[in-house]
DNA sequence: ATAATAAGTGAAAGTCTTTTTCATTTAGCG
DNA sequence: CGCTAAATGAAAAAGACTTTCACTTATTAT
């Protein structure tokens, strides 16, 4: 499902949230980019023009998340937690460990794995995250070393 | 590969680090548990007896990580970043979204997936993380609700 | 339109976790 | 021993996020 700017406003209204200039601005910024953004990144794109406070960014992101319109992503490599708008479909990320480039992967085909794990553990499996790490073509070309190490 | 207490000390020595009582204590605590621990958890197990400071825990974990003897794990759900000693083998985690129980999964069988993605993207894939989220048997029994939502 | 009101905003203070600084201690080594 | 560089602890600082509270504004009901 694809959410447009209008869809998002409608959904917010439907859930009883008010449509403020700040929220409009934040949604438009997120609408304008395909990639993940930290609250601070959003802030830096909005700051000069409209004087929105960082607190409001945090609160709006929280609101949008509660409304199911965006979701969070925390990289395995650390404390940098990104936010992005809800993706068109289930997908995963492939990250270059040298330059940080993030590429989306569709089609994971993990249904059988989930089934097997469910049988083994008794868990009802609701979702999964799969992230791959490697070296992107560009970094391979430039022969830059990977920082990669086995994850736990 | 399995690291024992002795192995770890030897490796630290080999890399020119000093063996202090604090480091011994921290390594022993980590050696004594199979599961992930936050710096604070380690601290709370050590505090009363030997009076090790939390700062030292952070620094020792950093050192052990640099020496490749432990590694980090940041849950998808947030800021809680766990640390654990190097696992015996490649494995993944299954987390109960209700109670937080973490179970290890061996055998992911993602080699074909990696191969396909590599072909599609040109990346040289070095590693991957796979985490599953669901409801554990206990929480299913107690009919406790999952907080689960599709990840991004 | 206007007024009422509940929600939203911004500034500042407060948390919480992690890092840095710096004076003091100690492990490792001759 | 005694030296020296590394490690430690206390306190301060940093960074990311949350809370508080007085003020403003979007919605709604008149
Ligand atoms: Zn790259
Ligand atoms: Zn998937
Ligand atoms: Zn559970
Ligand atoms: Zn795997």
């Amino acid at each position: 499902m694809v959410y447009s700017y209008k869809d998002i406003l409608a959904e917010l209204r439907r859930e009883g949230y008010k449509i403020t200039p700040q929220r409009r601005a934040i949604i438009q910024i997120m609408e304008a980019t395909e990639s993940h953004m930290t609250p601070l990144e959003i802030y830096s794109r909005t700051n000069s023009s409209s004087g929105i406070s960082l607190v409001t960014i945090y609160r709006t992101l929280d609101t949008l998340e509660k409304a199911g319109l965006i979701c969070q992503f925390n990289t395995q490599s650390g404390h940098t937690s990104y936010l992005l708008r809800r993706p068109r479909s289930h997908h995963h990320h492939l990250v270059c460990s040298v330059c940080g480039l993030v590429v989306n992967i569709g089609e994971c085909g993990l249904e059988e794995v989930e089934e097997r794990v469910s049988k083994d553990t008794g868990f009802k499996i609701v979702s999964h995250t799969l992230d791959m790490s490697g070296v992107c073509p560009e970094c391979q070309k430039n022969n830059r070393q990977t920082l990669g190490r086995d994850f736990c």
Side-chain angles (χ1 to χ4, degrees), chain A:
Chain A
M1 187 191 180
V2 182
Y3 289 105
S4 71
Y5 175 68
K6 277 191 162 180
D7 291 335
I8 292 171
L9 293 191
E11 179 64 15
L12 283 181
R13 264 194 209 93
R14 209 185 59 71
E15 300 227 6
Y17 294 109
K18 291 183 179 176
I19 309 302
T20 66
Q22 292 89 338
R23 286 179 177 170
R24 281 176 192 277
I26 292 168
I27 293 163
Q28 280 174 329
I29 289 167
M30 298 190 81
E31 191 69 22
T33 177
E34 276 296 318
S35 62
H36 301 204
M37 280 190 287
T38 61
L40 209 62
E41 279 167 355
I42 296 172
Y43 181 58
S44 67
R45 297 204 196 184
T46 198
N47 195 16
S48 44
S49 48
S50 42
I52 298 174
S53 107
L54 184 54
V55 193
T56 298
I57 310 255
Y58 278 110
R59 282 192 281 225
T60 297
L61 291 173
D62 208 55
T63 300
L64 291 172
E65 216 262 326
K66 275 194 192 112
L69 295 164
I70 60 168
C71 52
Q72 281 195 331
F73 178 73
N74 301 292
T75 63
Q76 199 59 28
S77 50
H79 33 300
T80 43
S81 92
Y82 297 142
L83 285 148
L84 79 169
R85 65 196 157 123
R86 192 171 209 103
R88 279 120 192 88
S89 61
H90 178 78
H91 72 280
H92 298 288
H93 301 107
L94 173 55
V95 185
C96 175
S97 58
V98 180
C99 69
L101 174 71
V102 180
V103 170
N104 280 9
I105 306 168
E107 299 275 319
C108 60
L110 251 60
E111 297 74 19
E112 322 88 63
V113 178
E114 286 197 345
E115 221 167 282
R116 203 196 64 227
V117 170
S118 181
K119 247 175 228 156
D120 290 355
T121 61
F123 270 61
K124 189 181 89 190
I125 299 189
V126 174
S127 62
H128 64 255
T129 59
L130 169 65
D131 295 297
M132 297 190 182
S133 174
V135 186
C136 71
E138 194 62 29
C139 289
Q140 284 180 61
K141 205 189 299 169
N142 301 347
N143 214 30
R144 301 184 60 198
Q145 276 200 331
T146 177
L147 319 162
R149 160 179 292 176
D150 257 340
F151 289 108
C152 285

